[in-house]
Amino acid sequence: MSRNPIKGIVFDLDGTLVDSLATTFEAFNHGITLCGGREHSPQEIMHYFGPGEGEIFAQIVGQENAEKAYSACRRYLDQNLHRVPLHDGVRELLEELAQRRIPISIVTGRSWNTTEVILKHHKIMDRFITVIANDHVAKPKPSPLGIELALSRMELEPHHTLYVGDSHVDILAARAAGSRAVAALWDRVASREALAPHDPHHWASHPSELLALL
């Protein structure tokens, strides 16, 4: 048995628990083009990931248009929640973790508004000890502040936890917090090539593979 057994898991949201990125890119472009900006590729939008949606829009369309763009993005997401499913195997994983009484939380770069909408839509809000959105911390990932806040509420030491995410900022944040970083590869946008230089502790190609790490 490991000297540091895993006692809890913290998850990223987009691209990890939910298959949301394609719809998210569409929602961003809806807001951007409504404010006179050009349509951005998924790679261009992902380049801005880290801060919350409002800050991203401010960078792309200017502070004066950010609120209008974000409101349009939010409306688009509300109207297309049926196109933001849980990833295959996630609901089963959450049920198994509940049966094993493994505490879980979320730390996401999304704003609380859209995070809450997604989790309530899937009726999984009550599965998590805490949900930390971009609004809840002073600095976004790769800062460890969100993970540190979640772990304090879970009353767990970092070395007894996994942080599971699909992007390089997730791996960097996990390492900075002292958690074990798990690179999630099940989203269509996830790239082993992009994540490998950041040296995650573990790789997982399906949510069920996390159970072997407990």
Side-chain angles (χ1 to χ4, degrees), residues 110-124:
R110 268 192 185 274
S111 69
W112 171 245
N113 284 339
T114 56
T115 296
E116 183 181 31
V117 165
I118 290 171
L119 295 180
K120 285 187 173 180
H121 174 72
H122 289 295
K123 298 180 173 60
I124 58 172

Side-chain angles (χ1 to χ4, degrees), residues 9 19 29 32 41 44 46 93 103 163 185 188 204 209 211:
I9 303 177
D19 186 2
N29 275 317
I32 292 168
S41 70
E44 287 176 311
M46 287 183 72
L93 172 65
Y163 183 73
L185 295 178
R188 71 193 82 177
E209 294 178 18
L211 298 174

Side-chain angles (χ1 to χ4, degrees), residues 77-85 121:
L77 180 64
D78 286 346
Q79 294 164 2
N80 289 276
L81 278 173
H82 61 285
R83 298 174 53 225
V84 183
H121 174 72

Side-chain angles (χ1 to χ4, degrees), residues 61-184:
V61 297
Q63 188 65 54
E64 68 278 8
N65 293 313
E67 184 175 348
K68 178 181 178 182
Y70 176 55
S71 295
C73 174
R74 168 68 190 272
R75 288 194 301 274
Y76 187 96
L77 180 64
D78 286 346
Q79 294 164 2
N80 289 276
L81 278 173
H82 61 285
R83 298 174 53 225
V84 183
L86 293 177
H87 269 298
D88 289 344
V90 164
R91 194 173 294 279
E92 293 81 0
L93 172 65
L94 297 183
E95 291 173 358
E96 179 65 25
L97 293 173
Q99 289 182 12
R100 297 191 190 192
R101 297 185 178 180
I102 301 293
I104 59 175
S105 290
I106 290 174
V107 173
T108 175
R110 268 192 185 274
S111 69
W112 171 245
N113 284 339
T114 56
T115 296
E116 183 181 31
V117 165
I118 290 171
L119 295 180
K120 285 187 173 180
H121 174 72
H122 289 295
K123 298 180 173 60
I124 58 172
M125 180 75 80
D126 62 350
R127 296 295 183 98
F128 303 95
I129 300 295
T130 189
V131 179
I132 308 299
N134 181 73
D135 320 53
H136 299 149
V137 289
K139 294 181 180 179
K141 296 180 288 187
S143 165
L145 291 178
I147 299 175
E148 290 170 350
L149 179 57
L151 296 185
S152 70
R153 293 178 178 176
M154 297 169 79
E155 299 183 344
L156 290 175
E157 294 296 324
H159 57 273
H160 289 304
T161 62
L162 303 174
Y163 183 73
V164 185
D166 64 307
S167 75
H168 72 284
V169 294
D170 296 321
I171 296 169
L172 293 174
R175 284 193 165 277
S179 292
R180 299 191 68 79
V182 182

